Amino acid sequence: MSAANVPTASPLRTILLCFIVAILEGLDLQAVGVVAPAMAATFQLDSAALGWVFSAGLIGLLPGAVFGGWLADRFGRKRVLIGAVILFGLFSLLTAYSASYEQLLAARLFTGLGMGAALPILIALSSEVASAGLRNIAVSLTYCGVPLGGAIAALIGLFSVSGDWRLVFYVGGVAPLLIAVLLMLCLPDSRAYRGQALPLRDTSQALLGQGRGFATLLLWCSCFCTLTILYMLLNWLPTLLIERGLSRLDSSVIQVLFNIGGVLGTLLAGRLMDKGRALLAVLLAYLGMLAALVALGLVEQLEGLYLAGMLAGACAVGGQLILYALAPRIYPAHVRATGVGAAVAVGRLGSMGGPLLAGKLLAAGAGVSGLLLAVSPLVAIAAMSAAKLLKRDS
C-alpha cells in the first residue's frame, strides 16, 4: 500500500487499538498461571508436565516475534497484526477445547506464536503513528496494556472466580477475534510502510551491519537481562513470598500491585524520554529494580512488601518499555518491525531462562535472599547496556 492510499486516522485511535491488543496479550500471558491448579487437576498433570504447559507458550513467542516483525515489514503492519491476533485468539479458544495434554501443549505453542508476532508490530505501529515529541509516550501507552492485562489476570486469581477454568480462555479467545474485526475496519496501515522489506537472508546484514551492529547488540543484551529478571519475578514472586511466610491472599495482592506498578512505570518512563530525560529514566528503572529486589528479600513488614512489589513492577516493566521505545529509533522503516521483533525475540530467551535459573538456584538452597542477590548483576549489565545505547542514540 502506497502512502497516498493510507487512510487518514487519528493517531490516538491507532494507539487505542494497539493498547487493547496489548491488554489481551497480557491477560493471556498470565491466564495459565491463574488457572494452573484447576488445569492440572483436569489433565492430571504433575509439576514437571505443568511446567511444559507454561513453557510451550513462551517457546512460541520467540519465533513469532522474529517472523512476525519481518512479515510486517514485507506485507504491511495492519495485515500481519490482524493475522497474529486471529491466531492467538483462535488457539486460546482451542486451549479451552483441548481434550488431551498433547492438544493443550500444541494450543499454547500456537497461541504464543500469535502473541509473539503481535508485540513488535504494536511497538512499531505506535512509534510510527506519533509525532517525534510524543513517540516514546505513544509506545508506553501501548505497552502498558500488557501489565494491565496481567493485573486483570491476577485479580481473577485474587478473587478466585468460581467455575470452569476454561472460561478464561473462552474470553481470551473470543475477544481477540472480535478485536480483529475492529482492526480490519478501523486501523490504517503505517505511513512508514512502503512494502520494501529486505529478503529474509539479508536482514542479518541490515540489523548487524551498516553501522547498526553495536547498537543492536547493546539492545539485545539489555533486553535479555531485563526480561530474565522480569519473568523470574512474574513466575516466582508468589512462591517466593509464600516461602517468606505470607498468605496466598497477601502474595496475590502483591502480584496485582506488581502489575499496576508496571503500568505506572511504563507511563513515567515514556514521559521522561519524551522530555529528553531518557538517562534519568534508565537510572530510576534499574536502581529502583535493585532496591526492590533487596526489599523483597529482606523487608519484614507487609506494607513494605506491598511497596516493594509495586516498585519491582514499575522498574522491571518500565525498564523494558525504555528498550522497546529505543528499538524503533535504531532501524529505518523497511527493517523497523524486523529489528524490534529480533529484540523482542532475544528478550524472550531471557523470559524462558529467568524462571529456569530461579528454579535451579532455589533447588541448590540459595533461598529467597540468595536468589534475588544472585540476579542483581544482570540489573547492572542491563543498565550499562541501555545507558551506552542512549549515548550512541543521542
Side-chain angles (χ1 to χ4, degrees), residues 39-242:
M39 181 185 286
T42 298
F43 291 98
Q44 299 183 328
L45 306 179
D46 59 18
S47 296
L50 187 60
W52 277 108
V53 177
F54 293 140
S55 297
L58 293 175
I59 291 169
L61 291 171
L62 196 154
V66 173
F67 290 106
W70 179 77
L71 289 169
D73 281 331
R74 192 166 185 85
F75 299 109
R77 317 280 194 250
K78 177 177 178 176
R79 188 181 304 175
V80 180
L81 177 61
I82 291 169
V85 170
I86 291 173
L87 183 65
F88 80 72
L90 186 62
F91 279 95
S92 185
L93 273 178
L94 290 177
T95 300
Y97 284 106
S98 295
S100 68
Y101 177 57
E102 292 74 20
Q103 290 177 9
L104 184 63
L105 289 178
R108 298 315 300 158
L109 175 66
F110 283 96
T111 303
L113 281 172
M115 291 191 295
L119 184 57
I121 304 172
L122 298 176
I123 294 168
L125 262 177
S126 56
S127 173
E128 291 168 348
V129 77
S131 62
L134 296 174
R135 198 159 286 155
N136 298 303
I137 195 65
V139 175
S140 68
L141 284 168
T142 294
Y143 187 64
C144 75
V146 176
L148 185 58
I152 294 169
L155 283 170
I156 294 173
L158 176 61
F159 292 108
S160 300
V161 176
S162 60
D164 194 341
W165 61 266
R166 294 175 175 84
L167 177 63
V168 177
F169 296 104
Y170 292 143
V171 174
V174 171
L177 297 178
L178 295 175
I179 293 301
V181 176
L182 196 60
L183 294 174
M184 293 176 194
L185 297 174
C186 301
L187 181 70
D189 215 331
S190 169
R191 290 180 174 85
Y193 168 66
R194 298 289 186 273
Q196 298 172 345
L198 294 174
L200 192 58
R201 65 180 179 275
D202 296 330
T203 54
S204 291
Q205 174 62 24
L207 301 185
L208 296 171
Q210 303 172 20
R212 290 187 286 270
F214 189 49
T216 293
L217 293 176
L218 288 172
L219 177 66
W220 288 357
C221 178
S222 197
C223 280
F224 178 86
C225 294
T226 303
L227 274 176
T228 296
I229 298 166
L230 175 58
Y231 274 79
M232 182 200 75
L233 291 171
L234 283 173
N235 284 269
W236 282 98
L237 186 57
T239 301
L240 295 175
L241 292 170
I242 289 170

